[in-house]
Protein backbone atom coordinates (compact mmCIF):
# COMPACT_ATOMS: atom_id res chain seq x y z
CA UNK A 1 0.00 0.00 0.00
CA UNK A 2 1.15 3.53 -0.75
CA UNK A 3 2.71 5.05 2.41
CA UNK A 4 3.75 8.66 2.96
CA UNK A 5 5.43 9.89 6.15
CA UNK A 6 5.43 13.62 6.83
CA UNK A 7 8.24 13.83 9.34
CA UNK A 8 9.27 16.30 11.97
CA UNK A 9 6.51 18.79 11.30
CA UNK A 10 4.27 21.08 13.32
CA UNK A 11 0.74 19.71 13.30
CA UNK A 12 -2.28 22.01 13.43
CA UNK A 13 -4.84 19.23 13.63
CA UNK A 14 -8.02 21.25 12.95
CA UNK A 15 -9.66 20.36 16.28
CA UNK A 16 -8.75 23.67 17.91
CA UNK A 17 -5.92 22.13 19.96
CA UNK A 18 -2.59 23.98 20.13
CA UNK A 19 -0.08 22.96 17.44
CA UNK A 20 2.41 20.23 18.36
CA UNK A 21 5.42 18.64 16.72
CA UNK A 22 4.84 15.17 15.27
CA UNK A 23 5.30 12.64 12.50
CA UNK A 24 2.19 11.83 10.48
CA UNK A 25 1.86 8.59 8.51
CA UNK A 26 -0.57 8.16 5.62
CA UNK A 27 -1.44 4.74 4.25
CA UNK A 28 -3.69 4.49 1.23
CA UNK A 29 -6.30 7.22 1.51
CA UNK A 30 -6.19 7.61 5.32
CA UNK A 31 -4.07 8.95 8.14
CA UNK A 32 -2.97 5.92 10.17
CA UNK A 33 -0.64 7.42 12.80
CA UNK A 34 0.06 10.78 14.43
CA UNK A 35 3.14 10.40 16.64
CA UNK A 36 3.75 13.37 18.96
CA UNK A 37 7.45 14.20 19.16
CA UNK A 38 8.13 12.15 16.03
CA UNK A 39 10.03 8.87 15.76
CA UNK A 40 7.78 6.85 13.44
CA UNK A 41 9.78 4.30 11.42
CA UNK A 42 10.65 5.57 7.95
CA UNK A 43 11.00 2.29 6.13
CA UNK A 44 8.83 1.54 3.13
CA UNK A 45 7.38 5.04 3.12
CA UNK A 46 7.87 8.08 0.95
CA UNK A 47 9.32 10.58 3.46
CA UNK A 48 8.55 14.30 3.27
CA UNK A 49 10.57 16.52 5.59
CA UNK A 50 8.13 18.85 7.33
CA UNK A 51 10.67 20.87 9.32
CA UNK A 52 9.80 24.56 9.53
CA UNK A 53 6.36 23.90 8.08
CA UNK A 54 2.84 23.41 9.39
CA UNK A 55 0.78 20.38 8.48
CA UNK A 56 -2.95 21.12 8.55
CA UNK A 57 -6.12 19.61 7.12
CA UNK A 58 -7.05 20.65 3.58
CA UNK A 59 -9.30 23.71 3.43
CA UNK A 60 -13.01 23.32 2.87
CA UNK A 61 -15.17 25.76 0.86
CA UNK A 62 -18.83 25.49 1.89
CA UNK A 63 -20.18 28.00 -0.65
CA UNK A 64 -18.32 27.13 -3.85
CA UNK A 65 -19.37 27.94 -7.39
CA UNK A 66 -16.92 25.92 -9.46
CA UNK A 67 -18.95 26.55 -12.63
CA UNK A 68 -19.21 30.32 -12.17
CA UNK A 69 -16.87 31.76 -14.80
CA UNK A 70 -15.60 34.97 -13.17
CA UNK A 71 -18.12 36.87 -15.30
CA UNK A 72 -19.36 40.37 -14.52
CA UNK A 73 -23.06 39.46 -14.57
CA UNK A 74 -25.43 36.53 -14.05
CA UNK A 75 -26.66 36.79 -17.64
CA UNK A 76 -23.10 36.18 -18.85
CA UNK A 77 -23.24 32.77 -17.09
CA UNK A 78 -26.35 31.86 -19.03
CA UNK A 79 -25.07 32.95 -22.43
CA UNK A 80 -21.84 30.93 -22.21
CA UNK A 81 -22.09 27.94 -24.56
CA UNK A 82 -21.91 24.58 -22.75
CA UNK A 83 -18.68 23.53 -24.49
CA UNK A 84 -16.69 26.49 -23.19
CA UNK A 85 -18.50 26.30 -19.89
CA UNK A 86 -17.39 22.71 -19.23
CA UNK A 87 -13.76 23.64 -19.91
CA UNK A 88 -13.96 26.65 -17.58
CA UNK A 89 -15.48 24.49 -14.84
CA UNK A 90 -12.70 21.91 -15.23
CA UNK A 91 -10.08 24.64 -14.89
CA UNK A 92 -11.79 26.09 -11.82
CA UNK A 93 -11.91 22.67 -10.14
CA UNK A 94 -8.16 22.32 -10.58
CA UNK A 95 -7.62 25.88 -9.35
CA UNK A 96 -9.49 25.09 -6.13
CA UNK A 97 -7.22 22.15 -5.42
CA UNK A 98 -4.13 24.18 -6.41
CA UNK A 99 -5.21 26.70 -3.73
CA UNK A 100 -5.37 24.02 -1.04
CA UNK A 101 -9.14 23.52 -1.07
CA UNK A 102 -9.57 19.77 -0.89
CA UNK A 103 -13.36 19.82 -0.34
CA UNK A 104 -16.09 21.97 -1.84
CA UNK A 105 -19.80 22.07 -1.08
CA UNK A 106 -21.37 23.69 -4.09
CA UNK A 107 -23.62 26.67 -3.50
CA UNK A 108 -25.20 26.21 -6.98
CA UNK A 109 -24.25 25.32 -10.52
CA UNK A 110 -24.52 27.72 -13.46
CA UNK A 111 -26.05 25.06 -15.71
CA UNK A 112 -28.07 22.04 -14.57
CA UNK A 113 -25.47 19.30 -15.12
CA UNK A 114 -22.13 21.14 -14.87
CA UNK A 115 -21.48 20.35 -11.21
CA UNK A 116 -22.64 16.78 -11.66
CA UNK A 117 -20.38 15.84 -14.58
CA UNK A 118 -17.35 17.53 -13.05
CA UNK A 119 -17.94 15.74 -9.71
CA UNK A 120 -18.21 12.44 -11.55
CA UNK A 121 -14.94 13.03 -13.43
CA UNK A 122 -13.14 14.01 -10.21
CA UNK A 123 -14.50 10.95 -8.38
CA UNK A 124 -13.38 8.71 -11.25
CA UNK A 125 -9.85 10.12 -10.95
CA UNK A 126 -9.89 11.55 -14.46
CA UNK A 127 -9.78 15.20 -13.43
CA UNK A 128 -7.90 17.02 -10.67
CA UNK A 129 -10.28 18.69 -8.26
CA UNK A 130 -11.58 18.75 -4.71
CA UNK A 131 -14.05 16.40 -3.08
CA UNK A 132 -17.21 17.83 -4.41
CA UNK A 133 -20.86 17.94 -3.43
CA UNK A 134 -22.68 18.85 -6.64
CA UNK A 135 -25.59 21.27 -6.75
CA UNK A 136 -28.17 22.18 -9.38
CA UNK A 137 -29.05 25.68 -10.52
CA UNK A 138 -30.48 28.04 -7.93
CA UNK A 139 -34.22 27.52 -7.50
CA UNK A 140 -36.01 30.83 -7.32
CA UNK A 141 -39.52 32.29 -7.64
CA UNK A 142 -40.77 34.64 -10.36
CA UNK A 143 -39.07 37.95 -9.71
CA UNK A 144 -36.67 36.43 -7.19
CA UNK A 145 -32.87 36.47 -7.23
CA UNK A 146 -31.76 34.90 -10.51
CA UNK A 147 -35.01 35.33 -12.42
CA UNK A 148 -33.57 37.37 -15.26
CA UNK A 149 -36.21 36.44 -17.83
CA UNK A 150 -37.53 39.38 -19.81
CA UNK A 151 -41.10 39.32 -20.99
CA UNK A 152 -40.33 40.72 -24.46
CA UNK A 153 -37.70 38.10 -25.25
CA UNK A 154 -38.81 34.96 -27.03
CA UNK A 155 -37.28 32.28 -24.80
CA UNK A 156 -38.74 33.09 -21.45
CA UNK A 157 -38.88 29.38 -20.59
CA UNK A 158 -35.13 28.95 -21.10
CA UNK A 159 -33.52 28.58 -17.69
CA UNK A 160 -31.08 31.25 -16.65
CA UNK A 161 -28.48 30.38 -14.00
CA UNK A 162 -31.51 30.07 -11.73
CA UNK A 163 -34.67 28.07 -12.39
CA UNK A 164 -37.99 29.70 -11.67
CA UNK A 165 -40.55 27.66 -9.74
CA UNK A 166 -43.83 29.00 -8.37
CA UNK A 167 -45.84 26.91 -5.97
CA UNK A 168 -44.96 23.58 -4.36
CA UNK A 169 -45.76 21.49 -7.44
CA UNK A 170 -43.28 23.36 -9.62
CA UNK A 171 -40.65 23.15 -6.87
CA UNK A 172 -41.21 19.39 -6.59
CA UNK A 173 -40.90 18.97 -10.35
CA UNK A 174 -37.52 20.75 -10.51
CA UNK A 175 -36.21 18.95 -7.42
CA UNK A 176 -37.18 15.56 -8.81
CA UNK A 177 -35.53 16.42 -12.11
CA UNK A 178 -32.31 17.35 -10.28
CA UNK A 179 -32.41 14.10 -8.29
CA UNK A 180 -32.81 12.21 -11.55
CA UNK A 181 -29.69 13.93 -12.92
CA UNK A 182 -27.64 13.11 -9.81
CA UNK A 183 -27.33 16.23 -7.70
CA UNK A 184 -26.16 16.06 -4.05
CA UNK A 185 -27.84 19.32 -3.05
CA UNK A 186 -30.62 21.76 -3.89
CA UNK A 187 -30.20 25.52 -3.59
CA UNK A 188 -33.23 27.63 -2.72
CA UNK A 189 -33.28 31.40 -3.05
CA UNK A 190 -35.56 31.89 -0.06
CA UNK A 191 -35.02 35.64 0.36
CA UNK A 192 -34.41 38.44 -2.11
CA UNK A 193 -31.02 39.98 -2.66
CA UNK A 194 -30.02 43.64 -2.48
CA UNK A 195 -31.75 46.48 -4.05
CA UNK A 196 -32.78 48.23 -6.12
CA UNK A 197 -33.65 46.80 -8.68
CA UNK A 198 -34.12 43.70 -6.52
CA UNK A 199 -34.88 45.19 -3.13
CA UNK A 200 -36.10 42.24 -1.12
CA UNK A 201 -33.02 41.28 0.88
CA UNK A 202 -35.08 42.11 3.94
CA UNK A 203 -37.84 39.58 3.39
CA UNK A 204 -38.58 36.04 2.30
CA UNK A 205 -39.85 35.62 -1.25
CA UNK A 206 -40.52 31.87 -1.12
CA UNK A 207 -43.53 30.55 0.72
CA UNK A 208 -43.51 27.96 3.48
CA UNK A 209 -45.23 25.54 1.11
CA UNK A 210 -42.46 25.95 -1.50
CA UNK A 211 -39.64 25.38 1.02
CA UNK A 212 -41.53 22.41 2.49
CA UNK A 213 -41.91 20.89 -0.99
CA UNK A 214 -38.15 21.03 -1.62
CA UNK A 215 -37.44 19.55 1.82
CA UNK A 216 -39.94 16.76 1.20
CA UNK A 217 -38.16 15.68 -2.01
CA UNK A 218 -34.74 16.16 -0.42
CA UNK A 219 -35.55 13.95 2.54
CA UNK A 220 -37.11 11.28 0.35
CA UNK A 221 -34.06 11.27 -1.94
CA UNK A 222 -31.15 11.70 0.49
CA UNK A 223 -30.30 15.11 -0.97
CA UNK A 224 -29.30 18.08 1.19
CA UNK A 225 -30.55 21.64 0.83
CA UNK A 226 -28.82 25.01 1.13
CA UNK A 227 -30.42 28.44 0.97
CA UNK A 228 -29.77 32.02 0.02
CA UNK A 229 -31.43 33.63 3.04
CA UNK A 230 -30.54 37.22 3.87
CA UNK A 231 -33.64 38.32 5.78
CA UNK A 232 -34.63 37.41 9.33
CA UNK A 233 -37.87 35.72 8.28
CA UNK A 234 -36.09 33.64 5.62
CA UNK A 235 -33.53 32.41 8.19
CA UNK A 236 -36.35 31.40 10.55
CA UNK A 237 -38.18 29.70 7.70
CA UNK A 238 -35.05 27.63 6.91
CA UNK A 239 -34.58 26.47 10.50
CA UNK A 240 -38.29 25.67 10.92
CA UNK A 241 -38.14 23.43 7.86
CA UNK A 242 -34.93 21.66 8.90
CA UNK A 243 -32.80 23.45 6.29
CA UNK A 244 -29.42 23.83 7.99
CA UNK A 245 -27.02 25.27 5.37
CA UNK A 246 -27.85 28.96 5.46
CA UNK A 247 -26.02 31.47 3.30
CA UNK A 248 -25.66 35.17 4.17
CA UNK A 249 -28.17 35.54 7.06
CA UNK A 250 -27.24 39.25 7.21
CA UNK A 251 -30.47 40.47 8.79
CA UNK A 252 -31.00 37.67 11.32
CA UNK A 253 -32.79 39.28 14.29
CA UNK A 254 -32.76 38.16 17.94
CA UNK A 255 -35.52 35.62 17.32
CA UNK A 256 -33.59 34.14 14.37
CA UNK A 257 -30.41 34.03 16.45
CA UNK A 258 -32.29 32.28 19.28
CA UNK A 259 -33.56 29.72 16.79
CA UNK A 260 -30.10 29.17 15.26
CA UNK A 261 -28.53 28.83 18.70
CA UNK A 262 -31.15 26.31 19.82
CA UNK A 263 -30.42 24.27 16.68
CA UNK A 264 -26.70 24.86 16.43
CA UNK A 265 -25.88 21.15 16.42
CA UNK A 266 -27.21 20.86 12.85
CA UNK A 267 -27.28 24.47 11.53
CA UNK A 268 -24.44 26.22 9.70
CA UNK A 269 -24.20 29.85 8.63
CA UNK A 270 -21.92 30.88 5.78
CA UNK A 271 -21.99 34.68 5.38
CA UNK A 272 -20.11 34.63 2.04
CA UNK A 273 -18.38 37.80 3.03
CA UNK A 274 -15.91 37.79 0.13
CA UNK A 275 -18.45 38.72 -2.51
CA UNK A 276 -20.00 41.63 -0.59
CA UNK A 277 -16.66 42.91 0.64
CA UNK A 278 -15.15 42.99 -2.84
CA UNK A 279 -18.24 44.67 -4.30
CA UNK A 280 -18.03 47.39 -1.67
CA UNK A 281 -14.28 47.97 -1.72
CA UNK A 282 -12.88 46.69 -5.03
CA UNK A 283 -15.78 46.46 -7.46
CA UNK A 284 -15.76 49.82 -9.23
CA UNK A 285 -14.32 48.33 -12.45
CA UNK A 286 -17.47 46.21 -12.66
CA UNK A 287 -20.00 48.91 -11.91
CA UNK A 288 -19.88 48.88 -8.11
CA UNK A 289 -18.98 52.55 -7.85
CA UNK A 290 -19.34 54.16 -4.41
CA UNK A 291 -22.66 55.64 -5.60
CA UNK A 292 -24.00 52.27 -6.73
CA UNK A 293 -22.82 50.56 -3.55
CA UNK A 294 -24.66 53.19 -1.50
CA UNK A 295 -27.79 53.23 -3.66
CA UNK A 296 -28.16 49.44 -3.59
CA UNK A 297 -27.62 49.31 0.15
CA UNK A 298 -24.61 47.02 -0.23
CA UNK A 299 -22.46 48.81 2.35
CA UNK A 300 -25.27 48.74 4.89
CA UNK A 301 -25.81 45.07 4.15
CA UNK A 302 -22.10 44.37 4.75
CA UNK A 303 -22.07 46.37 8.00
CA UNK A 304 -25.16 44.58 9.31
CA UNK A 305 -23.62 41.24 8.36
CA UNK A 306 -20.43 41.98 10.30
CA UNK A 307 -22.48 42.83 13.41
CA UNK A 308 -24.73 39.77 13.01
CA UNK A 309 -21.81 37.34 12.56
CA UNK A 310 -20.16 38.74 15.71
CA UNK A 311 -23.32 37.97 17.66
CA UNK A 312 -23.51 34.48 16.18
CA UNK A 313 -19.92 33.84 17.20
CA UNK A 314 -20.73 34.77 20.82
CA UNK A 315 -23.68 32.35 20.80
CA UNK A 316 -21.58 29.43 19.57
CA UNK A 317 -23.42 29.21 16.23
CA UNK A 318 -21.16 27.67 13.61
CA UNK A 319 -20.11 30.41 11.15
CA UNK A 320 -17.91 29.26 8.27
CA UNK A 321 -15.72 31.15 5.80
CA UNK A 322 -16.51 30.65 2.11
CA UNK A 323 -17.17 33.58 -0.09
CA UNK A 324 -19.13 33.03 -3.30
CA UNK A 325 -16.03 33.10 -5.54
CA UNK A 326 -16.59 33.01 -9.31
CA UNK A 327 -17.61 36.57 -10.15
CA UNK A 328 -15.43 39.10 -11.95
CA UNK A 329 -14.90 41.17 -8.82
CA UNK A 330 -14.43 38.08 -6.65
CA UNK A 331 -12.58 35.65 -8.90
CA UNK A 332 -11.52 32.04 -8.55
CA UNK A 333 -8.10 31.55 -7.00
CA UNK A 334 -8.61 34.13 -4.25
CA UNK A 335 -10.66 31.90 -1.91
CA UNK A 336 -8.37 32.18 1.12
CA UNK A 337 -9.04 35.92 1.30
CA UNK A 338 -12.16 34.90 3.20
CA UNK A 339 -9.97 33.55 6.02
CA UNK A 340 -8.28 36.94 6.36
CA UNK A 341 -11.68 38.68 6.36
CA UNK A 342 -12.81 36.43 9.22
CA UNK A 343 -9.84 37.65 11.25
CA UNK A 344 -9.59 41.28 10.15
CA UNK A 345 -13.26 42.13 9.63
CA UNK A 346 -15.28 39.72 11.77
CA UNK A 347 -12.82 39.53 14.68
CA UNK A 348 -12.49 35.75 14.78
CA UNK A 349 -9.13 34.51 16.07
CA UNK A 350 -6.92 32.77 13.49
CA UNK A 351 -7.51 29.49 15.36
CA UNK A 352 -11.30 29.91 15.27
CA UNK A 353 -11.09 30.73 11.58
CA UNK A 354 -8.97 27.69 10.72
CA UNK A 355 -11.18 25.36 12.77
CA UNK A 356 -14.18 26.75 10.87
CA UNK A 357 -12.41 26.08 7.56
CA UNK A 358 -11.33 22.53 8.48
CA UNK A 359 -13.13 20.66 11.30
CA UNK A 360 -16.43 22.47 10.73
CA UNK A 361 -15.87 22.05 7.00
CA UNK A 362 -15.84 18.29 7.55
CA UNK A 363 -19.07 18.69 9.51
CA UNK A 364 -20.85 20.68 6.79
CA UNK A 365 -19.66 18.14 4.18
CA UNK A 366 -21.55 15.58 6.26
CA UNK A 367 -18.42 13.61 7.26
CA UNK A 368 -17.54 14.85 10.77
CA UNK A 369 -15.76 11.68 11.82
CA UNK A 370 -13.41 11.40 8.83
CA UNK A 371 -12.89 14.80 7.23
CA UNK A 372 -11.34 18.07 8.35
CA UNK A 373 -8.95 16.94 11.10
CA UNK A 374 -5.56 15.26 11.40
CA UNK A 375 -6.31 12.16 13.43
CA UNK A 376 -5.79 8.44 12.86
CA UNK A 377 -8.60 7.10 10.70
CA UNK A 378 -9.37 10.42 9.03
CA UNK A 379 -9.08 10.86 5.28
CA UNK A 380 -5.66 12.16 4.26
CA UNK A 381 -6.60 15.59 2.89
CA UNK A 382 -3.57 17.58 3.99
CA UNK A 383 -1.66 20.80 3.39
CA UNK A 384 1.96 21.35 4.29
CA UNK A 385 2.35 25.10 4.64
CA UNK A 386 5.69 26.87 4.66
CA UNK A 387 5.58 28.87 7.92
CA UNK A 388 2.77 29.28 10.44
CA UNK A 389 -0.72 30.18 9.25
CA UNK A 390 -1.77 30.86 12.86
CA UNK A 391 0.57 33.83 13.12
CA UNK A 392 0.14 34.85 9.47
CA UNK A 393 -3.15 33.68 7.99
CA UNK A 394 -2.26 35.40 4.70
CA UNK A 395 0.21 32.55 4.08
CA UNK A 396 -2.77 30.55 2.85
CA UNK A 397 -3.34 33.04 0.02
CA UNK A 398 0.16 32.37 -1.32
CA UNK A 399 0.15 29.26 -3.51
CA UNK A 400 3.96 29.07 -3.31
CA UNK A 401 3.65 28.63 0.47
CA UNK A 402 1.60 25.45 -0.05
CA UNK A 403 4.47 22.95 -0.27
CA UNK A 404 2.34 19.81 -0.28
CA UNK A 405 -1.29 19.37 -1.26
CA UNK A 406 -2.66 15.87 -0.62
CA UNK A 407 -6.18 14.67 -1.29
CA UNK A 408 -7.34 11.18 -0.40
CA UNK A 409 -3.75 10.19 0.37
CA UNK A 410 -2.56 11.14 -3.11
CA UNK A 411 -0.13 13.97 -3.71
CA UNK A 412 -1.56 16.71 -5.91
CA UNK A 413 1.54 18.81 -5.21
CA UNK A 414 4.89 17.57 -3.88
CA UNK A 415 7.74 19.62 -2.47
ZN1 LIG B 1 -23.52 31.91 -4.12
Amino acid sequence: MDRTLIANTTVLDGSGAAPFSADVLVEGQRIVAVQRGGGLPRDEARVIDGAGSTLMPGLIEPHGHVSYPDAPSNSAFTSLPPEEHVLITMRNAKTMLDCGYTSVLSGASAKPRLDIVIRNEINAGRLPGPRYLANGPEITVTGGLGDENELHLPHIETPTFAWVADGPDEVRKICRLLVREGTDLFKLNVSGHAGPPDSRADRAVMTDAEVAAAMEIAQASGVRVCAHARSADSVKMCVRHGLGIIYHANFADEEALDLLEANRDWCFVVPALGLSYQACYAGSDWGFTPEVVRARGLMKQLEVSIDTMGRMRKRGIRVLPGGDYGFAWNPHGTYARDLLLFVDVLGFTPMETLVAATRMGGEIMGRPTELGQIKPGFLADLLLVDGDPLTDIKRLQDRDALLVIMKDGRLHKSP
Side-chain angles (χ1 to χ4, degrees):
M1 195 181 284
D2 203 28
R3 291 157 64 94
T4 303
L5 178 71
I6 299 131
N8 189 29
T9 193
T10 301
V11 173
L12 182 63
D13 69 6
S15 71
F20 54 91
S21 75
D23 285 356
V24 173
L25 181 64
V26 172
E27 248 180 42
Q29 62 176 164
R30 293 190 187 265
I31 298 161
V32 293
V34 180
Q35 179 76 42
R36 283 182 185 250
L40 282 175
R42 296 174 175 233
D43 43 300
E44 291 173 41
R46 178 194 303 116
V47 179
I48 294 171
D49 180 19
S53 309
T54 304
L55 188 71
M56 60 177 282
L59 294 163
I60 295 174
E61 164 62 72
H63 186 156
H65 289 304
V66 179
S67 65
Y68 285 18
D70 291 345
S73 69
N74 302 339
S75 56
F77 297 11
T78 304
S79 59
L80 250 185
E83 295 84 354
E84 282 84 349
H85 213 152
V86 171
L87 295 173
I88 289 169
T89 308
M90 285 169 61
R91 282 204 299 271
N92 290 340
K94 179 174 179 295
T95 299
M96 296 215 74
L97 196 51
D98 289 341
C99 292
Y101 282 77
T102 51
S103 289
V104 175
L105 184 150
S106 173
S109 176
K111 287 185 170 67
R113 298 188 67 251
L114 273 175
D115 267 9
I116 293 164
V117 295
I118 295 298
R119 177 204 62 197
N120 292 350
E121 286 297 293
I122 292 170
N123 287 350
R126 292 190 289 261
L127 206 68
R131 287 176 200 286
Y132 196 37
L133 294 182
N135 212 325
E138 309 192 9
I139 301 171
T140 195
V141 296
T142 294
L145 168 63
D147 174 16
E148 302 199 345
N149 291 299
E150 295 181 59
L151 206 52
H152 66 287
L153 294 177
H155 302 298
I156 58 169
E157 297 302 326
T158 303
T160 63
F161 86 110
W163 271 359
V164 177
D166 293 308
D169 285 346
E170 288 189 14
V171 171
R172 275 189 208 98
K173 173 98 183 163
I174 287 180
C175 290
R176 286 193 173 119
L177 190 150
L178 292 172
V179 170
R180 182 189 74 194
E181 296 302 320
T183 191
D184 298 307
L185 291 151
F186 304 144
K187 164 76 171 285
L188 304 183
N189 288 345
V190 179
S191 83
H193 194 43
D198 175 4
S199 50
R200 287 152 302 167
D202 61 346
R203 60 191 164 100
V205 295
M206 278 197 169
T207 63
D208 269 308
E210 287 163 338
V211 176
M215 296 306 293
E216 180 192 343
I217 303 301
Q219 279 152 10
S221 315
V223 166
R224 297 169 72 204
V225 186
C226 60
H228 170 97
R230 292 196 184 275
S231 65
D233 59 348
S234 65
V235 171
K236 291 175 223 174
M237 195 185 267
C238 289
V239 180
R240 275 203 315 273
H241 287 283
L243 195 172
I245 304 174
I246 300 171
Y247 295 140
H248 311 301
N250 313 61
F251 299 107
D253 57 14
E254 283 302 307
E255 193 184 7
L257 294 175
D258 287 346
L259 208 52
L260 285 168
E261 186 179 347
N263 294 282
R264 64 186 180 184
D265 57 325
W266 60 271
C267 284
F268 301 90
V269 173
V270 183
L273 212 59
L275 186 67
S276 311
Y277 192 87
Q278 286 299 101
C280 289
Y281 291 107
S284 52
D285 285 354
W286 295 279
F288 294 104
T289 60
E291 300 73 45
V292 168
V293 164
R294 216 173 18 255
R296 291 188 59 184
L298 295 174
M299 190 60 84
K300 175 172 172 269
Q301 189 166 277
L302 178 63
E303 286 164 3
V304 170
S305 187
I306 291 166
D307 177 62
T308 304
M309 296 310 135
R311 288 189 286 145
M312 287 190 192
R313 173 179 172 236
K314 287 191 191 121
R315 286 167 172 261
I317 297 163
R318 286 177 291 185
V319 180
L320 276 62
D324 237 335
Y325 293 85
F327 295 85
W329 60 98
N330 195 45
H332 285 280
T334 61
Y335 321 105
R337 183 162 28 75
D338 246 63
L339 306 176
L340 180 68
L341 293 177
F342 259 54
V343 175
D344 281 1
V345 177
L346 296 187
F348 282 56
T349 66
M351 181 64 97
E352 287 170 335
T353 302
L354 292 177
V355 168
T358 56
R359 188 191 84 205
M360 291 182 193
E363 292 164 3
I364 201 171
M365 290 291 288
R367 306 176 82 167
T369 59
E370 59 172 2
L371 198 59
Q373 297 185 61
I374 299 181
K375 284 184 178 168
F378 272 61
L379 290 159
D381 287 8
L382 300 170
L383 299 182
L384 187 65
V385 185
D386 182 21
D388 178 9
L390 272 184
T391 54
D392 180 11
I393 203 151
K394 277 166 97 169
R395 297 297 288 155
L396 294 167
Q397 293 183 55
D398 177 3
R399 286 190 219 182
D400 291 337
L402 306 178
L403 305 175
V404 169
I405 301 169
M406 178 181 274
K407 189 192 108 190
D408 233 3
R410 296 174 67 171
L411 287 166
H412 173 68
K413 183 179 182 185
S414 318

